[in-house]
Amino acid sequence: MTRWTLADVPDLTGRRALVTGVTSGLGEVTARELARAGAEVVLAARDPEKLDAAAHAVRAEVPGARLVPLRLDLADLSSVRRAAEEASAAGPLDVLVNNAGVMATPYERTADGFELQLGTNHLGHFALTGLLLDALVASGDGRVVTVSSHMARSVRGVSLRDPRDPGARYRRWGAYGQSKLANLLFTFELDRRVRAARLPVTAVAAHPGYTVTNLVHNGIGRSSPAPVGAVAVAVTRLVGQGVEQGALPQLRAAVEPGLEGGSYVGPGHPFELNGPPVLVSPPRSALDEQQAAGLWRVSEEATGVRYP
Ligand SMILES: NC(=O)c1ccc[n+]([C@@H]2O[C@H](COP(=O)([O-])OP(=O)(O)OC[C@H]3O[C@@H](n4cnc5c(N)ncnc54)[C@H](OP(=O)(O)O)[C@@H]3O)[C@@H](O)[C@H]2O)c1
């Protein structure tokens, strides 16, 4: 892989992409750059006012952008089902970017009773992808990009108990790490399954290193004692890379022609905290096929979404 920049995004005219979490940070940049390259972009977000603002922001930078707003709350399966139905009805889907996420939130539950981080970051996207699979297959060259994190390395595995069961003790960083490891286990299991079924879909993952977005502010920033939250936000601003750079791994993963299923793209500098997007190695735990199969079973049971 040579050094990859925005100039390498190919012409995407005639392609249709859906990005989750477009109201800020990495999703906003990803949606904008896909639109700039000519793709029709389905902007998926839960808050209608923020969704309007996101569409305005993209149009301000990319006049004539082809945008379709879509209401999607990943923490509510009925919303995921409605959104997937609406998006599928519009025809084939070429690229799905599972980007939205929350981090280190206090113990909360989704509308369906799942722990919030696993529910939003993994289960919501698991359901969405399964419900959009036919549209991705109809593209003839569908691609699913799921955004993980370095924090996937911070845990040994994912819990396979019912996601409605709060367990003995909730650790918010552990729960985040598990949800991000689940993103990787899901990607590699999806890759194995679409290969086995010979479906024209490529499943890949990406991570943005350490990037300045609203993620820290919305998680620990809001729920920790004021000084802790303020320090966390300040450190992120000091150390993190800019969001335009941070979005490059997921953009590359979304558009690079011929990228092999099961690839993982992240920042190329030491420790993968920043730098240009390159192929990186996933943690060994993400390649555990038994864990992946177990997570798949739990995810199907919890969401009621069974992959064809
Ligand atoms: N920034 C980093 O350093 C970093 C590092 C590793 C991984 N990541 C990953 O990158 C992805 C994007 O995060 P970011 O850094 O860009 O953070 P961000 O600025 O906080 O953006 C998160 C996005 O997710 C959306 N979202 C949250 N809960 C949702 C729900 N229930 N339904 C629909 N959308 C929801 C938010 O929408 P609202 O505006 O409605 O809240 C927002 O648009 C996440 O998956 C995160 O885990 C980020």
Side-chain angles (χ1 to χ4, degrees):
M1 277 185 158
T2 52
R3 194 183 175 94
W4 195 91
T5 67
L6 280 183
D8 294 301
V9 177
D11 179 16
L12 299 175
T13 307
R15 311 280 288 171
R16 188 162 164 265
L18 189 158
V19 183
T20 68
V22 295
T23 56
S24 82
L26 299 158
E28 186 180 343
V29 174
T30 301
R32 185 189 73 211
E33 295 309 323
L34 294 175
R36 200 192 302 281
E40 176 183 293
V41 182
V42 183
L43 301 175
R46 57 182 163 176
D47 179 316
E49 281 177 20
K50 285 190 182 180
L51 190 47
D52 265 7
H56 267 89
V58 174
R59 287 217 172 83
E61 290 258 344
V62 187
R66 294 168 60 231
L67 306 174
V68 180
L70 180 72
R71 287 282 298 282
L72 167 71
D73 184 352
L74 288 157
D76 180 348
L77 288 174
S78 65
S79 167
V80 174
R81 285 184 186 281
R82 264 197 309 274
E85 218 168 277
E86 197 178 321
S88 296
L93 182 65
D94 302 296
V95 180
L96 168 63
V97 185
N98 289 326
N99 161 82
V102 288
M103 180 176 78
T105 47
Y107 189 81
E108 279 178 55
R109 288 171 184 265
T110 66
D112 306 278
F114 310 141
E115 183 277 311
L116 183 67
Q117 299 190 75
L118 189 77
T120 306
N121 301 355
H122 167 63
L123 292 169
H125 284 128
F126 176 90
L128 181 70
T129 307
L131 294 167
L132 289 175
L133 200 61
D134 285 344
L136 287 155
V137 169
S139 141
D141 184 19
R143 187 170 298 187
V144 180
V145 181
T146 301
V147 180
S148 180
S149 164
H150 237 336
M151 289 297 289
R153 291 180 194 279
S154 68
V155 292
R156 287 214 198 104
V158 292
S159 159
L160 298 181
R161 65 171 186 267
D162 182 337
R164 295 175 197 87
D165 174 356
R169 186 174 162 213
Y170 176 70
R171 291 185 183 84
R172 57 188 177 171
W173 283 107
Y176 180 66
Q178 287 200 29
S179 74
K180 292 284 121 180
L181 178 57
N183 288 149
L184 289 178
L185 287 163
F186 164 66
T187 296
F188 302 140
E189 180 67 16
L190 181 60
D191 173 51
R192 288 186 286 271
R193 286 175 182 243
V194 292
R195 280 175 197 262
R198 297 180 183 279
L199 295 179
V201 173
T202 307
V204 295
H207 84 88
Y210 196 2
T211 300
V212 183
T213 64
N214 289 331
L215 198 65
V216 169
H217 171 74
N218 286 342
I220 29 178
R222 278 206 183 140
S223 59
S224 308
V228 178
V231 168
V233 171
V235 169
T236 304
R237 292 216 177 105
L238 204 65
V239 182
Q241 61 179 343
V243 70
E244 311 284 332
Q245 181 73 25
L248 292 184
Q250 60 202 65
L251 270 165
R252 183 170 194 170
V255 304
E256 173 134 317
L259 190 65
E260 219 185 304
S263 296
Y264 189 26
V265 186
H269 287 169
F271 307 113
E272 295 172 28
L273 293 176
N274 52 37
V278 298
L279 282 181
V280 295
S281 301
R284 202 171 333 143
S285 50
L287 302 173
D288 181 334
E289 295 191 21
Q290 254 185 329
Q291 269 263 301
L295 178 67
W296 198 276
R297 180 180 36 76
V298 168
S299 305
E300 283 195 338
E301 278 165 14
T303 61
V305 174
R306 291 186 196 278
Y307 279 57

